[in-house]
Amino acid sequence: MDIPANAQAFPAPAKLNLDLRITGRRDDGYHNLESIFCLIGLYDTVCLKPRDDKKIILHNPTEGIPCEQDLAYRAALSLQQHTGSCRGVEIWLEKKIPTGGGLGGGSSDAATVLTVLNQWWQCRLTRQELIDLAVGLGADVPFFVFGQSAFARGIGEQLVKIEIPKQWYVIVKPSVHVSTAKIFSHENLTRNSKPSIMPTFQSLQPFRNDMQAVVFQEYPEVWKAYCELSKYGPTLMTGSGACIYLSTDSQQEANNIYQQVLQSYEAYCVEGLDSHPLFQMI
């Protein structure tokens, strides 16, 4: 992929859901959730080049997705239409975050596009206004715009900062793509978890994922990966899957486990991040 030298590169980190509970189904068909979101040191790179016309060009949309449906393209178009900007952009995506794993790669790409173009195009939207705009793009996009460890409610747009101890994570990606729509519509999905009153990292222990049992039922490959990683410690699925992860207190411990599971699975050893690296860039 040829990216011009005058395009600027920006990070788009992945996320983990350290806890995920479904507290009800809304009249509009969406579900009310509660979740702890954590940024992790696994990145896509979003390369951007400004244009003086209104054209938005995504040079390499995600395979199998029409350009106009790609979240990065939609993010730029949404900001342009919302603000009336006459500026444009060219976009290249260097993908490292696996798709269909519950790590939020596409949503993170979109949030990076929104955040950078808000500055480049001098839109002057506040972070909360960007979060409100991001809701229309997807449930995970608001968190990536928020850009720090968060407890989320609603469909993921009601965000407050939460303190998370420094941790390292081992992530396993089974070779299967989980359909989020299929899981949310499943008759056996837990939808009645009790809402938290004063959520903290400690008070929500032991963490759980209300989607996990249904995913295990429908996707045996995810169950198999869970059993394999569980040999090394308490293990959980992120989002609607398919990625499975465990947390450790040290890089060395995480790397030791990573070296073991890497023999059988696509795997990652990454640190948790306190805040989005874009905060230090723009």
Side-chain angles (χ1 to χ4, degrees), residues 113-125:
V113 169
L114 277 179
T115 303
V116 174
L117 294 186
N118 185 51
Q119 295 281 339
W120 280 12
W121 293 351
Q122 298 180 326
C123 299
R124 297 185 176 86
L125 297 185

Side-chain angles (χ1 to χ4, degrees), residues 172 174 212 216 219-237 242 244-246 261 265:
V172 165
Q212 188 168 275
F216 289 171
Y219 299 90
E221 300 94 332
V222 182
W223 166 247
K224 182 180 177 183
Y226 173 86
C227 292
E228 181 64 29
L229 193 56
S230 292
K231 296 175 183 177
Y232 304 96
T235 299
L236 205 65
M237 185 182 78
I244 303 293
Y245 71 93
L246 62 74
V261 298
Y265 286 99

Side-chain angles (χ1 to χ4, degrees), residues 170 228 232 254-265 267:
V170 180
E228 181 64 29
Y232 304 96
N255 191 59
N256 290 341
I257 298 170
Y258 165 74
Q259 295 297 335
Q260 295 295 318
V261 298
L262 188 60
Q263 301 172 30
S264 304
Y265 286 99

Side-chain angles (χ1 to χ4, degrees), residues 10 12 14 32 65 69-70 85 94 100 108-109 114 135 154 166 179 185 188 241 245 255 276:
F10 298 94
N32 282 320
I65 299 178
Q69 295 179 21
D70 193 287
S85 176
E94 296 180 328
S108 187
D109 298 343
L114 277 179
V135 172
K166 183 64 176 180
S179 167
S185 62
N188 295 335
Y245 71 93
N255 191 59
H276 201 300

Side-chain angles (χ1 to χ4, degrees), residues 74-123:
R74 289 176 54 206
L77 182 63
S78 178
L79 183 66
Q80 189 185 70
Q81 293 177 338
H82 181 77
T83 62
S85 176
C86 294
R87 309 276 294 279
V89 68
E90 296 183 46
I91 306 169
W92 295 261
L93 303 176
E94 296 180 328
K95 301 291 293 182
K96 294 290 176 61
I97 303 170
T99 58
L103 299 177
S107 296
S108 187
D109 298 343
T112 292
V113 169
L114 277 179
T115 303
V116 174
L117 294 186
N118 185 51
Q119 295 281 339
W120 280 12
W121 293 351
Q122 298 180 326
C123 299

